[in-house]
Amino acid sequence: MWLPKILVFSALVGVACCKQNFPPGFKFGAATAAYQVEGAWNVSDKSESIWDVFTHDHPEAIIDRSTGDVACDSYHQWQRDVEIASELGLHFYRFSIAWTRLLPNGFSNYVSEDGKEYYSNLIDALLEKGIEPVVTLYHFDLPQSLQNLGGWTNPLIANWFGEYARVAFSLYGDRVKTWLTINEPIVYCQVSYSTGIHAPGIVSPDFGSLMCSKNAVLAHAKAWRIYDEEFRQKYQGKVSLANLLFWFEPEDENEQEATDLVQQLWSGVYTHPIFSKDGGWPPELEKKLAEKSRQQGYTGSKLPPFTQEEKELVGGTYDFFGLNFYTARTARKAQAGEKVGPWPFIGAPDLDVVMSVRPDWKPQASQLFFSYPRALRLQLSWVKQQYGDIDIFILENGFVGYDADLNDQDRVNFYRDHLEQVLLSIKEDGVKVVGYTAWSMIDNYEWSDGYRSKFGLYAVDFADPQRARRPRASAQYYARVIKQHSLDVHDTNKLTDELY
Ligand SMILES: *[C@@H]1O[C@H](CO)[C@@H](O)[C@H](O)[C@H]1NC(C)=O
């Protein structure tokens, strides 16, 4: 009776071998963003972005007083970046276009030949290596010329952004099939206007952040509609936005209401109008902010309402859910008279909610990030529960360290632990996670944290004029996971010469 034995044997092997496998078609990639890697801030006819101006005018706002003037010099070293993407075996490489490089005026009346060619070459080189380009249109680097006209607080930005998107779609849509309109509006609206720590350095927590929020949602929708109407048939691509979600959980069992509210302020503002059946702002949040605005003596809500027409413009403007995920917070209602804030990291003043972390969430180098891998699985289920059984594309996830060590075991553990949760989400919870993106492919310029925060699978030597890139242990680990299409790979406790 050898046949059943073989069946039993292969069934056992089957379980052991494939439990850790990712579904066929699941895609792995890594990401960067233009200002963080390109440098070449003043070459050719490129104009200044708000980050060029902010870092030049306010060195004190950056922890190491650095700028992105040169960064990883990817404007010149892009072939090395493509090589790295290939060494890692990436299925896709996510990068962003600098608006100021493609449209130096900010407007679409003039397209830079050099800008056009730079991204075209990058896209072609990736495709030649079998790597799909995943392109973000806006990753924090607004043309200063548009900032001078109010930037994201001017409702006309939706049109300006739409025009820019149309140029990019028409230049590259034949080759780029996955587009992200805007990256992390929570950061360039809430963090930026609530604290001034990001360009343009304007502090307007009451109005700036919420005006920006509404205009960001409209800008995304405009770009999606333009793709849908003018390009979809021809190019068959997909368009969404990349939302940064923090996982929130109640500090104790009495705090569910405070938790839901802060989750809606953080995650709902940029998702409910786009992904929910009803559209518009999350209703509980809209109510709370209207109430708070009245208490503060305003005649109307600080949260600008949507017209019916706007609601319809925005509703359903997605082809998948784009998720950037890093960390988590607990939430509880503030006690009477307790000082709350600053939003968005440890409190939400308008909601009277205080945020914190649990002792067993492992702090990373930066106090913003605590590792809590299970939160990723919970967050993925939350998205499914809120917005239905849609494709979820993880567009960023990564680990920050302050040292440049190549033997980054902490980062290896982070990726392994988070990818495990992705597998559980797919296999146990039935969530349709379609891809995973490591942030970042290479060390780069981390905004107000300058070059101190390192997220790279590859280390970059910022003292070297060529900005030499070298693989870390995490790069080797990730390359193995991609190659095996499985987490069932032996761990890298030490560096090997695989990628050298
Ligand atoms: C561009 O900026 C660099 C500093 O990053 C400077 O050395 C160079 O002179 C500038 N070039 C032009 C053409 O302004």
Side-chain angles (χ1 to χ4, degrees), residues 95-116:
F95 63 92
S96 81
I97 294 177
W99 191 336
T100 50
R101 204 179 289 291
L102 194 61
L103 303 181
N105 299 340
F107 296 101
S108 60
N109 64 323
Y110 169 70
V111 182
S112 162
E113 277 305 313
D114 284 348
K116 193 162 109 179

Side-chain angles (χ1 to χ4, degrees), residues 286-433:
E286 200 166 23
K287 210 174 104 205
K288 177 77 186 179
L289 287 177
E291 198 180 289
K292 196 75 185 181
S293 304
R294 269 195 303 280
Q295 281 168 19
Q296 292 165 340
Y298 295 115
T299 52
S301 179
K302 296 185 286 185
L303 184 66
F306 283 112
T307 64
Q308 192 53 38
E309 198 185 336
E310 288 170 335
K311 256 192 205 176
E312 284 162 19
L313 172 80
V314 170
T317 54
Y318 66 88
D319 298 310
F320 58 89
F321 191 98
L323 168 66
N324 293 1
F325 185 86
Y326 289 90
T327 191
R329 293 288 186 274
T330 61
R332 68 166 166 83
K333 196 151 181 38
Q335 283 142 20
E338 183 177 7
K339 197 171 165 339
V340 176
W343 170 253
F345 302 115
I346 55 172
D350 275 335
L351 307 184
D352 306 307
V353 172
V354 178
M355 282 131 66
S356 188
V357 292
R358 293 200 201 284
D360 60 326
W361 299 353
K362 218 173 146 214
Q364 299 175 22
S366 154
Q367 286 302 303
L368 278 180
F369 301 103
F370 293 81
S371 297
Y372 175 26
R374 196 174 126 75
L376 175 52
R377 178 178 177 185
L378 296 168
Q379 188 77 73
L380 290 163
S381 286
W382 183 88
V383 172
K384 178 177 176 177
Q385 175 255 321
Q386 294 276 314
Y387 305 117
D389 196 12
I390 56 180
D391 285 355
I392 305 178
F393 196 162
I394 299 171
L395 294 165
E396 286 184 26
N397 184 226
F399 177 92
V400 64
Y402 284 166
D403 74 55
D405 200 351
L406 294 184
N407 199 359
D408 57 342
Q409 201 55 44
D410 284 348
R411 189 172 286 107
V412 171
N413 294 341
F414 179 96
Y415 280 119
R416 190 197 50 231
D417 293 349
H418 283 76
L419 284 167
E420 243 167 34
Q421 297 296 319
V422 173
L423 270 182
L424 287 169
S425 175
I426 296 170
K427 297 192 173 184
E428 301 293 322
D429 307 338
V431 179
K432 285 192 199 143
V433 191

Side-chain angles (χ1 to χ4, degrees), residues 80-97:
R80 173 67 182 130
D81 291 344
V82 172
E83 204 175 279
I84 289 172
S86 177
E87 284 168 9
L88 286 165
L90 302 185
H91 302 129
F92 64 91
Y93 173 48
R94 178 185 170 210
F95 63 92
S96 81
I97 294 177

Side-chain angles (χ1 to χ4, degrees), residues 154-380:
N154 186 336
L156 289 174
I157 189 109
N159 293 341
W160 304 336
F161 181 73
E163 299 266 307
Y164 161 48
R166 179 183 284 114
V167 171
F169 295 153
S170 55
L171 288 175
Y172 309 124
D174 56 338
R175 288 159 287 163
V176 175
K177 303 300 171 189
T178 306
W179 293 93
L180 291 325
T181 55
I182 53 180
N183 181 71
E184 298 185 350
I186 185 88
V187 172
Y188 74 76
C189 292
Q190 261 70 26
V191 175
S192 188
Y193 285 100
S194 296
T195 64
I197 65 170
H198 271 211
I202 294 170
V203 181
S204 172
D206 272 3
F207 287 98
S209 56
L210 295 172
M211 289 162 78
C212 176
S213 299
K214 179 178 171 186
N215 296 332
V217 168
L218 290 173
H220 155 79
K222 263 263 154 66
W224 190 92
R225 298 261 172 226
I226 286 169
Y227 190 88
D228 198 49
E229 283 155 26
E230 302 171 27
F231 299 93
R232 185 181 297 281
Q233 228 181 357
K234 199 162 30 163
Y235 295 142
Q236 304 286 317
K238 291 183 176 176
V239 185
S240 192
L241 73 165
N243 266 307
L244 172 67
L245 271 52
F246 267 33
W247 173 248
F248 290 98
E249 59 183 46
E251 192 168 297
D252 63 47
E253 65 275 15
N254 302 317
E255 301 292 356
Q256 193 59 50
E257 201 183 320
T259 305
D260 290 344
L261 205 52
V262 78
Q263 184 75 265
Q264 287 303 341
L265 180 55
W266 188 290
S267 313
V269 164
Y270 305 101
T271 53
H272 198 276
I274 297 165
F275 295 89
S276 73
K277 297 226 157 43
D278 298 338
W281 300 122
E284 287 308 309
L285 181 71
E286 200 166 23
K287 210 174 104 205
K288 177 77 186 179
L289 287 177
E291 198 180 289
K292 196 75 185 181
S293 304
R294 269 195 303 280
Q295 281 168 19
Q296 292 165 340
Y298 295 115
T299 52
S301 179
K302 296 185 286 185
L303 184 66
F306 283 112
T307 64
Q308 192 53 38
E309 198 185 336
E310 288 170 335
K311 256 192 205 176
E312 284 162 19
L313 172 80
V314 170
T317 54
Y318 66 88
D319 298 310
F320 58 89
F321 191 98
L323 168 66
N324 293 1
F325 185 86
Y326 289 90
T327 191
R329 293 288 186 274
T330 61
R332 68 166 166 83
K333 196 151 181 38
Q335 283 142 20
E338 183 177 7
K339 197 171 165 339
V340 176
W343 170 253
F345 302 115
I346 55 172
D350 275 335
L351 307 184
D352 306 307
V353 172
V354 178
M355 282 131 66
S356 188
V357 292
R358 293 200 201 284
D360 60 326
W361 299 353
K362 218 173 146 214
Q364 299 175 22
S366 154
Q367 286 302 303
L368 278 180
F369 301 103
F370 293 81
S371 297
Y372 175 26
R374 196 174 126 75
L376 175 52
R377 178 178 177 185
L378 296 168
Q379 188 77 73
L380 290 163

Side-chain angles (χ1 to χ4, degrees), residues 23-85:
F26 186 90
K27 289 179 187 168
F28 290 99
T32 62
Y35 186 73
Q36 295 176 277
V37 298
E38 283 179 6
W41 72 283
N42 57 359
V43 302
S44 183
D45 46 3
K46 177 184 172 295
S47 68
E48 290 181 49
S49 78
I50 54 175
W51 272 93
D52 292 318
V53 172
F54 184 64
T55 56
H56 293 157
D57 292 357
H58 296 283
E60 75 287 353
I62 312 301
I63 194 91
D64 54 5
R65 302 179 74 88
S66 63
T67 71
D69 287 0
V70 182
C72 309
D73 196 31
S74 286
Y75 186 75
H76 300 108
Q77 312 293 337
W78 60 275
Q79 282 161 311
R80 173 67 182 130
D81 291 344
V82 172
E83 204 175 279
I84 289 172

